[in-house]
Amino acid sequence: MARAIVRSSVLALADRSEARRVRIQWDCDGLNLLIGIRDDGAGELSAHDDSIRPIVERVTALDGAIAVSSTPGWGSSVDIRLPLDPPAEPEPLPEFSQLSMRERDVLRLLASGARNAEIAEELLISVNTVKFHVSNLLRKVGARNRAELIASSR
């Protein structure tokens, strides 16, 4: 992912100015990957340019930080910090201790990707009973949909 971000940044610098040279510096501070990209172009790039916006979104999605600075006539600089650890998982939904054994079985099969008919066949119950259990699971866990319910079980 970092190489794709650097590649996009270099292309943004090259497209935006008359850069003859681009310098890329990689470093690590133990917690973050530090990337510095600098050109010798016109120095007109800003974080609000359309060519940089997708890069900012990608870095932000990874819980990183990006800074763009330019000096007219001297070039532009893009500094990126990406955490080495992936973003923290969202807080889990409430404890599953209040679930019945059958609801846990249904949830386990849901999380494996099984459809209602497959769950019914596996547990030897009707499809309507599976729907009833899924409805109870959504209510008990506080999930809005099946995807959120499955995500909370992991």
XYZ file of all heavy atoms in Angstrom, residues 82-138:
445
model
N 2.627 6.755 8.052
C 1.706 5.615 8.071
C 2.032 4.736 9.267
O 3.183 4.314 9.425
C 1.838 4.790 6.792
C 1.465 5.470 5.481
C 1.814 4.569 4.305
C -0.005 5.813 5.474
N 1.055 4.439 10.123
C 1.335 3.554 11.260
C 1.702 2.155 10.766
O 1.166 1.679 9.772
C 0.035 3.544 12.057
C -1.007 4.070 11.146
C -0.334 4.857 10.082
N 2.645 1.530 11.471
C 3.056 0.180 11.092
C 1.996 -0.847 11.458
O 1.872 -1.876 10.808
C 4.386 -0.178 11.766
C 5.579 0.654 11.292
C 6.818 0.308 12.113
C 5.846 0.446 9.820
N 1.213 -0.584 12.501
C 0.127 -1.479 12.895
C -1.129 -1.072 12.152
O -1.354 0.110 11.901
C -0.129 -1.398 14.403
C 1.010 -1.996 15.203
O 1.632 -2.950 14.707
O 1.277 -1.500 16.309
N -1.986 -2.036 11.815
C -3.237 -1.678 11.137
C -4.127 -0.866 12.069
O -3.945 -0.895 13.295
C -3.870 -3.036 10.825
C -3.226 -3.997 11.754
C -1.865 -3.455 12.065
N -5.101 -0.127 11.510
C -6.005 0.645 12.350
C -6.694 -0.249 13.367
O -6.955 -1.424 13.107
C -7.027 1.222 11.362
C -6.379 1.124 10.029
C -5.388 -0.003 10.098
N -6.967 0.299 14.529
C -7.621 -0.460 15.594
C -9.000 -0.909 15.149
O -9.698 -0.194 14.430
C -7.730 0.397 16.846
N -9.376 -2.090 15.575
C -10.698 -2.609 15.269
C -11.740 -1.782 16.013
O -11.483 -1.296 17.104
C -10.800 -4.072 15.727
C -9.957 -5.020 14.914
C -10.463 -5.166 13.494
O -11.689 -5.227 13.287
O -9.614 -5.202 12.585
N -12.928 -1.634 15.434
C -13.970 -0.912 16.159
C -14.322 -1.639 17.453
O -14.109 -2.850 17.569
C -15.148 -0.902 15.195
C -14.835 -1.902 14.152
C -13.354 -2.134 14.162
N -14.845 -0.900 18.392
C -15.243 -1.491 19.666
C -16.245 -2.602 19.418
O -17.187 -2.437 18.645
C -15.882 -0.426 20.564
C -14.886 0.556 21.125
C -13.891 -0.104 22.065
O -14.296 -0.938 22.897
O -12.695 0.198 21.938
N -16.062 -3.757 20.056
C -17.010 -4.845 19.842
C -18.375 -4.481 20.418
O -18.473 -3.701 21.363
C -16.389 -6.018 20.609
C -15.459 -5.401 21.581
C -15.010 -4.098 20.991
N -19.391 -5.053 19.813
C -20.734 -4.845 20.328
C -20.872 -5.604 21.646
O -19.991 -6.363 22.033
C -21.751 -5.304 19.297
C -21.779 -4.417 18.043
C -22.692 -5.026 16.995
C -22.221 -3.007 18.365
N -21.968 -5.410 22.360
C -22.118 -6.003 23.696
C -21.772 -7.493 23.761
O -21.844 -8.208 22.770
C -23.597 -5.777 24.008
C -24.013 -4.640 23.162
C -23.143 -4.691 21.940
N -21.426 -7.929 24.921
C -21.052 -9.316 25.210
C -22.109 -10.281 24.690
O -23.286 -9.978 24.675
C -20.912 -9.460 26.725
C -20.494 -10.807 27.191
C -19.015 -10.855 27.448
O -18.393 -9.817 27.554
O -18.522 -11.965 27.542
N -21.680 -11.443 24.261
C -22.591 -12.430 23.707
C -23.084 -13.431 24.761
O -23.703 -14.417 24.425
C -21.908 -13.178 22.556
C -21.691 -12.320 21.354
C -20.443 -11.806 21.070
C -22.739 -12.004 20.523
C -20.250 -11.008 19.962
C -22.562 -11.206 19.412
C -21.307 -10.698 19.133
N -22.835 -13.169 26.020
C -23.222 -14.117 27.070
C -24.734 -14.273 27.190
O -25.209 -15.293 27.676
C -22.627 -13.698 28.419
O -23.093 -12.418 28.769
N -25.504 -13.267 26.758
C -26.957 -13.350 26.873
C -27.589 -14.162 25.741
O -28.791 -14.351 25.715
C -27.580 -11.943 26.938
C -27.647 -11.205 25.625
C -26.414 -10.385 25.294
O -25.349 -10.596 25.831
N -26.561 -9.461 24.373
N -26.780 -14.690 24.832
C -27.308 -15.470 23.720
C -27.509 -16.926 24.116
O -26.703 -17.501 24.844
C -26.350 -15.405 22.526
C -26.026 -14.025 21.961
C -25.081 -14.158 20.771
C -27.274 -13.268 21.586
N -28.576 -17.513 23.590
C -28.810 -18.935 23.835
C -27.833 -19.752 22.993
O -27.204 -19.237 22.065
C -30.252 -19.303 23.455
O -30.405 -19.248 22.047
N -27.716 -21.023 23.309
C -26.818 -21.891 22.548
C -27.235 -21.943 21.078
O -26.395 -21.919 20.183
C -26.807 -23.311 23.134
C -26.059 -23.418 24.452
S -24.342 -22.853 24.336
C -23.652 -24.100 23.275
N -28.535 -22.004 20.815
C -29.022 -22.071 19.441
C -28.692 -20.767 18.693
O -28.286 -20.791 17.534
C -30.534 -22.334 19.430
C -31.129 -22.442 18.057
C -30.516 -23.558 17.240
N -31.141 -24.807 17.601
C -30.773 -25.982 17.124
N -29.783 -26.072 16.276
N -31.373 -27.070 17.508
N -28.842 -19.629 19.375
C -28.498 -18.346 18.753
C -27.002 -18.279 18.440
O -26.605 -17.764 17.400
C -28.912 -17.184 19.656
C -30.414 -16.981 19.729
C -30.842 -16.021 20.824
O -30.071 -15.809 21.781
O -31.960 -15.491 20.715
N -26.189 -18.829 19.325
C -24.750 -18.874 19.050
C -24.433 -19.744 17.843
O -23.581 -19.419 17.029
C -23.989 -19.378 20.278
C -23.994 -18.396 21.417
C -23.271 -18.942 22.608
N -23.569 -18.101 23.770
C -23.026 -18.246 24.934
N -22.145 -19.202 25.147
N -23.355 -17.452 25.926
N -25.162 -20.868 17.726
C -24.981 -21.734 16.558
C -25.358 -20.995 15.270
O -24.648 -21.069 14.273
C -25.829 -23.000 16.685
C -25.362 -23.935 17.780
O -24.168 -23.836 18.173
O -26.173 -24.755 18.250
N -26.483 -20.291 15.303
C -26.934 -19.534 14.138
C -25.908 -18.459 13.795
O -25.535 -18.275 12.632
C -28.335 -18.927 14.387
C -28.703 -17.936 13.292
C -29.389 -20.024 14.500
N -25.419 -17.752 14.817
C -24.433 -16.690 14.595
C -23.141 -17.253 13.999
O -22.562 -16.678 13.082
C -24.149 -15.951 15.905
C -23.178 -14.784 15.819
C -23.660 -13.744 14.817
C -23.000 -14.159 17.196
N -22.694 -18.396 14.512
C -21.483 -19.029 13.984
C -21.643 -19.370 12.510
O -20.758 -19.098 11.690
C -21.178 -20.299 14.793
C -19.986 -21.094 14.295
C -19.755 -22.371 15.102
N -20.941 -23.196 15.294
C -21.427 -24.043 14.382
N -20.832 -24.172 13.219
N -22.497 -24.750 14.640
N -22.788 -19.910 12.140
C -23.030 -20.263 10.741
C -23.207 -19.016 9.869
O -22.745 -18.984 8.725
C -24.245 -21.182 10.637
C -24.019 -22.584 11.224
C -25.326 -23.342 11.355
C -23.022 -23.354 10.372
N -23.849 -17.997 10.416
C -23.964 -16.726 9.685
C -22.580 -16.169 9.378
O -22.302 -15.730 8.266
C -24.728 -15.698 10.520
C -26.232 -15.603 10.380
C -26.792 -14.578 11.358
C -26.634 -15.276 8.982
N -21.716 -16.187 10.383
C -20.364 -15.646 10.224
C -19.550 -16.442 9.217
O -18.637 -15.907 8.596
C -19.653 -15.611 11.576
N -19.887 -17.705 9.026
C -19.167 -18.525 8.047
C -19.667 -18.282 6.629
O -19.128 -18.838 5.675
C -19.295 -20.007 8.401
O -20.604 -20.471 8.098
N -20.742 -17.480 6.500
C -21.269 -17.145 5.179
C -22.459 -17.966 4.750
O -22.915 -17.848 3.612
N -22.985 -18.780 5.655
C -24.125 -19.619 5.309
C -25.398 -18.785 5.152
O -25.609 -17.808 5.860
C -24.337 -20.681 6.392
N -26.239 -19.201 4.222
C -27.538 -18.554 4.011
C -28.561 -19.200 4.949
O -28.305 -20.251 5.539
C -27.978 -18.714 2.564
C -27.035 -18.029 1.599
C -27.489 -18.305 0.171
N -26.590 -17.714 -0.780
C -26.785 -16.532 -1.343
N -27.846 -15.828 -1.041
N -25.924 -16.069 -2.210
N -29.743 -18.572 5.049
C -30.771 -19.084 5.967
C -31.114 -20.550 5.693
O -31.234 -21.349 6.625
C -32.040 -18.233 5.877
C -31.888 -16.895 6.564
O -30.853 -16.613 7.168
N -32.916 -16.069 6.481
N -31.263 -20.915 4.425
C -31.618 -22.295 4.089
C -30.505 -23.264 4.514
O -30.788 -24.376 5.006
C -31.890 -22.422 2.597
N -29.270 -22.871 4.340
C -28.141 -23.717 4.739
C -28.074 -23.859 6.261
O -27.781 -24.940 6.780
C -26.833 -23.131 4.203
C -26.763 -23.115 2.684
C -25.633 -22.250 2.146
O -25.252 -21.269 2.809
O -25.150 -22.571 1.053
N -28.353 -22.756 6.959
C -28.364 -22.799 8.429
C -29.472 -23.724 8.904
O -29.271 -24.558 9.802
C -28.538 -21.382 9.017
C -27.326 -20.514 8.665
C -28.755 -21.436 10.532
C -27.504 -19.042 8.994
N -30.652 -23.606 8.293
C -31.788 -24.454 8.664
C -31.453 -25.927 8.457
O -31.737 -26.768 9.315
C -33.014 -24.068 7.838
N -30.832 -26.224 7.335
C -30.463 -27.621 7.039
C -29.434 -28.137 8.038
O -29.545 -29.250 8.540
C -29.912 -27.695 5.615
C -29.623 -29.099 5.154
C -29.145 -29.111 3.708
O -29.653 -28.311 2.902
O -28.252 -29.927 3.410
N -28.437 -27.319 8.340
C -27.373 -27.725 9.269
C -27.905 -27.971 10.678
O -27.501 -28.912 11.354
C -26.290 -26.640 9.299
C -25.206 -26.846 10.319
C -24.153 -27.838 9.863
O -24.049 -28.106 8.656
O -23.434 -28.342 10.740
N -28.815 -27.098 11.132
C -29.315 -27.182 12.511
C -30.617 -27.970 12.630
O -31.172 -28.086 13.727
C -29.512 -25.769 13.081
C -28.254 -24.903 13.163
C -28.597 -23.518 13.684
C -27.201 -25.561 14.033
N -31.105 -28.486 11.486
C -32.344 -29.265 11.447
C -33.530 -28.479 12.000
O -34.316 -28.968 12.824
C -32.180 -30.591 12.204
C -31.041 -31.493 11.719
C -30.855 -32.676 12.652
C -31.294 -31.951 10.291
N -33.652 -27.231 11.555
C -34.771 -26.365 11.926
C -35.323 -25.751 10.645
O -34.731 -25.881 9.574
C -34.349 -25.258 12.925
C -33.217 -24.394 12.345
C -33.926 -25.865 14.260
C -32.782 -23.233 13.241
N -36.479 -25.067 10.752
C -37.074 -24.455 9.563
C -36.408 -23.118 9.246
O -35.764 -22.508 10.101
C -38.578 -24.248 9.778
O -38.784 -23.175 10.682
N -36.578 -22.684 8.001
C -36.041 -21.391 7.576
C -36.688 -20.275 8.391
O -36.028 -19.301 8.764
C -36.259 -21.183 6.060
C -35.857 -19.781 5.631
C -35.495 -22.215 5.260
N -37.973 -20.410 8.708
C -38.658 -19.394 9.526
C -38.053 -19.313 10.924
O -37.938 -18.226 11.493
C -40.159 -19.676 9.614
C -40.882 -19.292 8.336
O -40.404 -18.443 7.583
N -42.013 -19.925 8.081
N -37.645 -20.442 11.471
C -37.007 -20.440 12.791
C -35.642 -19.745 12.713
O -35.263 -19.006 13.619
C -36.863 -21.881 13.329
O -38.158 -22.488 13.370
C -36.249 -21.897 14.718
N -34.920 -19.949 11.622
C -33.642 -19.250 11.429
C -33.886 -17.752 11.395
O -33.177 -16.972 12.042
C -32.943 -19.721 10.133
C -31.709 -18.865 9.851
C -32.565 -21.185 10.226
N -34.914 -17.308 10.639
C -35.242 -15.881 10.578
C -35.571 -15.338 11.957
O -35.164 -14.224 12.309
C -36.420 -15.652 9.629
C -36.103 -15.901 8.178
C -37.343 -15.702 7.324
C -37.093 -16.068 5.881
N -38.305 -15.926 5.059
N -36.282 -16.109 12.750
C -36.623 -15.712 14.118
C -35.352 -15.527 14.941
O -35.195 -14.529 15.647
C -37.543 -16.778 14.742
C -37.847 -16.546 16.177
C -38.784 -15.598 16.573
C -37.193 -17.281 17.168
C -39.064 -15.379 17.913
C -37.471 -17.067 18.506
C -38.407 -16.122 18.887
N -34.426 -16.478 14.850
C -33.168 -16.383 15.604
C -32.330 -15.190 15.138
O -31.747 -14.481 15.961
C -32.362 -17.682 15.484
C -32.904 -18.823 16.270
N -33.186 -18.747 17.618
C -33.225 -20.091 15.899
C -33.657 -19.898 18.052
N -33.690 -20.742 17.025
N -32.268 -14.964 13.834
C -31.510 -13.823 13.314
C -32.112 -12.521 13.836
O -31.389 -11.616 14.256
C -31.460 -13.849 11.769
C -30.893 -12.545 11.221
C -30.648 -15.039 11.281
N -33.429 -12.440 13.837
C -34.106 -11.248 14.354
C -33.766 -11.026 15.826
O -33.476 -9.900 16.254
C -35.621 -11.398 14.163
O -36.293 -10.310 14.725
N -33.790 -12.085 16.612
C -33.430 -11.979 18.040
C -31.974 -11.562 18.210
O -31.649 -10.757 19.085
C -33.670 -13.311 18.762
C -35.121 -13.521 19.105
O -35.914 -12.587 19.093
N -35.481 -14.766 19.388
N -31.098 -12.121 17.392
C -29.679 -11.755 17.462
C -29.481 -10.269 17.166
O -28.742 -9.574 17.876
C -28.862 -12.582 16.468
C -28.603 -14.027 16.856
C -28.113 -14.828 15.660
C -27.596 -14.090 17.983
N -30.132 -9.776 16.137
C -30.017 -8.356 15.789
C -30.461 -7.481 16.961
O -29.799 -6.493 17.307
C -30.861 -8.040 14.547
C -30.363 -8.628 13.228
C -31.430 -8.487 12.143
C -29.072 -7.965 12.791
